[in-house]
Every structure is written in structure tokens, then in C-alpha cells.
Amino acid sequence: MSNRRKNNLTIGVNDNIPFSQASILGLQHVLAMDIYVPPFIIATALAMTAGDATGLIQSTFLAAGLASLIQVLFYLKLPVCQGPSFVPIGAIIGIYIGSNGMGSVLGASIIGALLVILLGFSGIYKYIVRNYIPSIVSGTIIMIVGLTLLPAAFNSNIYVASETLSINQNITLALITATTLVLFSTIGTYFKKYSRLLQISSVILALGAGTFSAYLMGGFSTKAISEASFFSFPKFAFINYDISFNGAAILTMIVIYMVLLAETTGTWYAVSSVINEPLTDTQVNKGVIGEGVGCLVSALVGSTPVTGYSTNAGIISITGIASKKVFIFASGWFILLSFLGKLAAIINSIPSAVIGGVFAVVCMIIMLNGFRVVKNAEFNERELYIIGLPLIFAIGLLFIPKEVVESTPHMVQYLLGSPIAIGAIVAIIMNKIIPEPKK
């Protein structure tokens, strides 16, 4: 049985698909990735002007497209999409306020990205993965990624009221969207004739059903779409920002980048698990180089550090489509959206609860893919602790009081803001310090 069949993939990684289909499927990945959220949070927290906020969001789209192309075509060569990481948000806000604004953020990002590139070229990272991240650790990290992202689907997208929709209405929208997604992604099991069509379009159908339901509830407006300009430019480093290099900012960003590598490695393993193609040492090293190059490009186009998005692994699992061609088109959509304000406005107009409904299902699939990685391990006391304690730490950080975090040094605060990173670190440490039982 081929790898494709074992993982219910209808289209493999290197398989070709028609232009029109790849274009639609690429847009589906774009719609399911809430990459506008990190720049929106940063712009809101810093009270940026409308022009600066728009420029940052457009730069984020451009960075996502370029960084994704870099990984898919030249380095990692897996079906992945890059997008702005949530990990550095706190650090970025702190650097922006405490130094030369966005210029210091981008300057520190450039230096950190260059160091990541050097780490990849040195070949050291593959030994770190081989010796410290075996399957039980990587599977645990994948589970943590899905588990810790799930609250964001509810707290940031569903359990929030807006000017036009109540929390109860948002919950209803999320249920409609999630139900539609599950229905169309599984209906092919019973109706083989339509399985491929329904499965690969399940995310778009779910977003459409949710958005139409929001329209009927009076929660979807086309005003922002009609007011948006058709064409506008993002803001670039060295053109729109005065770049500066602050020592403390650079040191902070280097720590952030090390955390990002742990985060993105978990994503690589999630994708590897879904497509059933084990990561090689060469791929890992090239992926690190690609991560550094992508982050460097991101800084140069005026955006924040990027990372691999686990969301896409969930969508691959749902649709059964893993073709890299789809991700090339997704990259193209991101680049196009960065210059076309009208299209970006359409995506941004999708109600958050609708996005949350898709996001919640995707997080569940990511978490279960992690379980798939570790399920073949022999579960004695050692393995239970290696898996269980990182999950406890990650869940604990989700609910840690804000005042406790704020009482710690800034460096520690950045780490505590990333349950994924802390969970990954704990899993690696537990795997090394707990001795294996004598056979």
C-alpha cells in the first residue's frame, strides 16, 4: 500500500493537478489561515494609525507569500505555508515601545534571521533534532500545537461579541461552519462518486455556509469591501522605516528565533505525519536555512518573523490534497492580496466566528496527528511522563494569571507567552533525564 493510500491522500506531494483546481485549493489554504491576526493585534496594541496598520497587514501577506515560496520550492520542499508567528508579539510590542519603533523591531529581526541561516548552514540543527527530538517528543510537540491553539479558536474568534453579532450568534455560526466542514469532508466516505469534489472543497464550502449564515443574521457587511482601494503598496524596510540596531532588542529577538525553530519544527513533523514522509536530516537543515531566509525577507518587506503554520497540515488531512503546486498557488494568492486591497478586504470581512469554526476542527486534527505519531510507542511509566508533563505545562501556561507573567523578567515573559515552546522544551528535557528501563 502506498504512503498516499495509507494516509487517505488523493493527491500526493509531487503529484500535478490542473491550474484551476490548484488555484482554488490554494485560496482555500489562504482563507483558513488567520495570518492577519498577529499584525492586527500588534497594530491595535500600539495604537498605529490606519495607514500604518494597513501597511503592516499588507506586508504580512507579502512576507507570507514569499517565505512560503522559499520553503516549498528551494529548501524544505514540503507542502507548508509560512505566516506571522504569534510567539514574538509580546517582544515586538516591547521593542517598539522601548526603542526606535518599528525600525528597531525590523533591525533586530534581520540580525536574528541571519543567525538562523548560519545555524542551518552549520549543520548543527540536524544533530539537535536527531538526538533530542525522537518521534515520541515530536509527536508530543504536535499534540501541544493543536491543543494550545484550540483556545484561540474559541476565545479570540467564537466567544466574542461584535457590534452586529452576539456571543450566542457567534457560537451558532461556528457550529454551522464546523458542521458543514465535517459533513462535506466525510460524506465522500459514503458517496465515492463525489468524494474528491466534496472533500477538497470542504473548507471553502464551510466558509461560504458560515458567511451566508452571518449575512442572514445581519453580521456580514460589504461596506469595508466597497470602500477598499483596488491597489496599494505595503510598507518596506529601509524605504518606509528607518532601520536601527539595538543590542537589547537583538538579544531578545535571537531568543525569540530559537523558540520559533522549536515551533516550526513541530509543524514540519505534523506535515510529515499527515503525508507519511519522514523528515530527513538534510530536509531539517534546509528547512532551518529556509526559515532564516524567509524571516530575513519578511523583515525586509516590513513584516514580523514567520513560521510554518500547522493549520495547513490539518487542511491536508481534511481534503486529502498534499500537492506542492497548491502551496505555490497559495503563496501567489498571498502576494496578490498584499497589493490588492479589495481582495484583502473580502477575506478580512469573513466573520471571526466563521474562521473560528474551521480553526477549531483543524486544531483537533493537528492534535490527533500528534497522537498518531506517538501511538506506536510502548507506553510504560517513562513514556507517560514524557508525553504527560509537557501537556500539563502547556495547559498551565494557557491559564497562568497575567500578573504572574508580568512579575518575571522580560526574557522570561516572552517564553511564558509561548506554551508551545515551553511544552517542547519540557518534552526534550524529560526524554533526556528519565532513564530508559532495563530490558
Side-chain angles (χ1 to χ4, degrees), residues 151 155 392-402 419:
N155 295 330
I392 291 173
F393 271 85
I395 294 171
L397 286 177
L398 289 175
F399 299 101
I400 190 171
K402 186 177 180 180

Side-chain angles (χ1 to χ4, degrees), residues 108-124:
S109 298
I110 290 170
I111 299 300
L114 290 172
L115 291 177
V116 172
I117 295 171
L118 290 176
L119 178 63
F121 274 114
S122 71
I124 296 174

Side-chain angles (χ1 to χ4, degrees), residues 101-163:
M102 201 65 188
S104 289
V105 173
L106 298 178
S109 298
I110 290 170
I111 299 300
L114 290 172
L115 291 177
V116 172
I117 295 171
L118 290 176
L119 178 63
F121 274 114
S122 71
I124 296 174
Y125 196 71
K126 68 180 179 182
Y127 296 107
I128 296 175
V129 172
R130 183 189 301 163
N131 294 314
Y132 293 93
I133 313 180
S135 60
I136 190 168
V137 173
S138 63
T140 301
I141 294 173
I142 295 169
M143 285 194 286
I144 290 171
V145 169
L147 182 65
T148 56
L149 288 178
L150 192 57
F154 290 97
N155 295 330
S156 301
N157 293 287
I158 300 174
Y159 296 154
V160 289
S162 65
E163 295 180 359

Side-chain angles (χ1 to χ4, degrees), residues 1-78:
M1 182 180 292
S2 66
N3 288 346
R4 192 192 326 183
R5 291 290 301 278
K6 281 195 291 185
N7 285 281
N8 297 316
L9 294 179
T10 55
I11 300 293
V13 174
N14 297 307
D15 291 347
N16 192 20
I17 59 175
F19 179 96
S20 58
Q21 190 178 18
S23 177
I24 293 173
L25 290 170
L27 179 60
Q28 184 168 254
H29 279 276
V30 170
L31 292 172
M33 292 172 65
D34 54 349
I35 72 164
Y36 58 87
V37 174
F40 179 80
I41 293 173
I42 293 169
T44 303
L46 296 174
M48 287 184 175
T49 64
D52 287 340
T54 300
L56 179 59
I57 292 173
Q58 287 183 273
S59 293
T60 300
F61 275 93
L62 180 58
L66 294 175
S68 298
L69 281 178
I70 287 167
Q71 282 288 41
V72 174
L73 292 178
F74 304 109
Y75 291 100
L76 189 63
K77 296 184 179 179
L78 284 180

